[in-house]
Amino acid sequence: MTVRQAHEVLRFFRVVSPVPALLKTGIAGVTVVGAVIVLQAPSLAGRAFAPLLLLQMFAASSGFMVPARRGHYDLLLTQRSARVPVALVHWCASVAPGLAAWLCLGL
């Protein structure tokens, strides 16, 4: 995959997000509540991280094969792009909201 093709795949997944908006909103809300809990009572940090871990697992398991078979990614897969790099970019786009939340809580 060339740099140009990788850029096109990233642009595609920025527009067609594999993570639903409601899940992103939930991750943001859990992050804000978790930050308040960690700042108020650092001993309860484990309880603040558990809901975020659950939402992160749901976001990361958004799935690639079923939408690909249904034709959602035909635009990408018909442009000389191999499935594995497209799937890796899909996975990175799926993990990104949770990773950002973990970084915010970790700081």
Side-chain angles (χ1 to χ4, degrees), residues 55-79:
L55 291 177
Q56 171 76 28
M57 288 189 299
F58 281 124
S61 65
S62 60
F64 177 77
M65 290 300 292
V66 174
R69 286 184 182 150
R70 290 182 181 165
H72 295 274
Y73 306 135
D74 282 351
L75 181 66
L76 293 175
L77 298 175
T78 57
Q79 295 180 351

Side-chain angles (χ1 to χ4, degrees), residues 26-88:
I27 289 174
V30 167
T31 303
V32 169
V33 170
V36 170
I37 290 173
V38 168
L39 290 174
Q40 295 293 325
S43 63
L44 298 176
R47 291 185 183 188
F49 293 150
L52 181 58
L53 179 63
L54 179 68
L55 291 177
Q56 171 76 28
M57 288 189 299
F58 281 124
S61 65
S62 60
F64 177 77
M65 290 300 292
V66 174
R69 286 184 182 150
R70 290 182 181 165
H72 295 274
Y73 306 135
D74 282 351
L75 181 66
L76 293 175
L77 298 175
T78 57
Q79 295 180 351
R80 297 185 303 241
S81 296
R83 275 185 175 243
V84 173
V86 172
L88 287 174

Side-chain angles (χ1 to χ4, degrees), residues 10 13 18-19 56 60 85-99:
L10 286 172
F13 283 120
V19 179
Q56 171 76 28
V86 172
L88 287 174
V89 173
H90 176 275
W91 179 77
C92 289
S94 297
V95 171
L99 181 64

